[in-house]
Amino acid sequence: METVLQTKHINKYFKKPVLFHVIKDISLQINKGEFTSIMGKSGCGKSTLLYILSTMDTDYEGQLYLNNKLITGADHHTLSHLRNKHIGFVFQFHYLLSEFSVLENVMLPAKKLGELTLEEVTHNAYEKLKILNIEQLAKKRASQISGGEKQRVAIARALINNPSIIMGDEPTGNLDSHNSENVFNIFKELSEENKLSLLIVTHDEDFAKRTDRIITMEDGRIIN
């Protein structure tokens, strides 16, 4: 199996107000095409771990590998580029720019990456909207579409640079059961047909049960 993401003995401490050991000796591996969920009670360290895995938090001990390359210790500029190119994000809140069109929102990470022409980026953005069956919304402002549609746009935006892995922090947390089901099915399809790796923090047990693997956390450790 091809490994997309790996950690070796990750530890993290919060220094204030007192020293607190929040992530304890975490070693894990995510393979290509694997759909993994992370579960655990509030405060167990799920989101903190996700921020480390996503390279946004660099204040930790241990090693983080992306596509078999050690990225721990890389400078801010390198990490920003790696993150934009290889990691797609879907959060509980969609973080779309409401004054921009749906298409423009999806294009943003690709424009930031700057590897393709505007024409190519526009074409790719349309293709991602088609995958999610929302190409008809392309010209609408983000403020004019429904909550479920906004989360699909956020997924299209996460896919625009053809990342190695999608990371989600409670991506269905704000959605009703119908839209949650839609998001799950989209993720499942991406994992099975596009061999995309997914790592999703969720409180939704029904969602987690249907993923390939559940990582359960308790008090900063992985317990299974």
Side-chain angles (χ1 to χ4, degrees):
M1 286 295 281
E2 201 179 316
T3 305
V4 171
L5 188 77
Q6 188 176 13
T7 69
K8 292 181 181 172
H9 308 296
I10 295 276
N11 284 277
K12 177 164 179 73
Y13 298 87
F14 287 142
K15 310 284 196 300
K16 291 174 183 168
V18 292
L19 192 67
F20 177 60
H21 195 177
V22 62
I23 297 291
K24 301 168 184 169
D25 195 35
I26 285 188
S27 297
L28 60 79
Q29 186 170 320
I30 307 292
N31 294 322
K32 188 177 171 69
E34 194 172 28
F35 185 179
T36 307
S37 47
I38 302 182
M39 290 201 82
K41 293 193 178 95
S42 290
C44 72
K46 301 185 302 292
S47 295
T48 305
L49 177 63
L50 201 68
Y51 273 91
I52 292 170
L53 299 179
S54 69
T55 78
M56 289 204 239
D57 181 355
T58 55
D59 183 18
Y60 61 86
E61 295 169 3
Q63 288 98 40
L64 174 62
Y65 296 82
L66 184 63
N67 295 323
N68 296 313
K69 288 196 184 84
L70 178 66
I71 57 172
T72 302
D75 63 65
H76 173 73
H77 178 74
T78 305
L79 288 177
S80 176
H81 178 78
L82 281 173
R83 189 162 55 235
N84 195 23
K85 189 174 172 68
H86 293 293
I87 304 174
F89 295 99
V90 185
F91 298 101
Q92 181 170 353
F93 301 101
H94 44 76
Y95 296 115
L96 299 179
L97 299 176
S98 53
E99 69 280 13
F100 279 40
S101 74
V102 161
L103 190 69
E104 287 167 332
N105 269 287
V106 173
M107 289 167 67
L108 282 171
K111 286 167 85 172
K112 185 183 170 197
L113 193 61
E115 290 183 352
L116 300 172
T117 65
L118 191 60
E119 200 177 355
E120 288 168 321
V121 170
T122 307
H123 171 77
N124 288 354
Y126 259 114
E127 290 304 306
K128 301 305 183 214
L129 290 174
K130 275 185 195 157
I131 290 173
L132 298 167
N133 295 317
I134 47 171
E135 68 273 19
Q136 72 284 1
L137 302 177
K139 297 278 190 271
K140 282 197 164 181
R141 279 191 183 196
S143 55
Q144 297 172 313
I145 63 176
S146 73
E149 289 166 343
K150 283 176 178 161
Q151 200 57 310
R152 285 190 189 208
V153 175
I155 295 169
R157 180 183 58 191
L159 292 171
I160 189 66
N161 290 333
N162 298 318
S164 310
I165 188 167
I166 293 260
M167 294 187 185
D169 196 358
E170 300 285 354
T172 58
N174 263 359
L175 301 176
D176 59 27
S177 56
H178 170 72
N179 282 307
S180 294
E181 184 65 18
N182 277 343
V183 167
F184 177 85
N185 290 333
I186 289 163
F187 285 162
K188 190 85 184 142
E189 203 169 296
L190 289 167
S191 130
E192 286 174 356
E193 293 184 17
N194 300 32
K195 291 286 170 270
L196 186 63
S197 306
L198 296 125
L199 184 63
I200 309 294
V201 166
T202 183
H203 274 110
D204 183 342
E205 227 165 292
D206 294 333
F207 183 104
K209 272 183 194 151
R210 293 184 294 157
T211 61
D212 299 333
R213 174 164 64 120
I214 301 176
I215 292 172
T216 308
M217 287 185 68
E218 195 178 284
D219 295 333
R221 293 183 194 282
I222 289 177
I223 56 170
N224 80 341

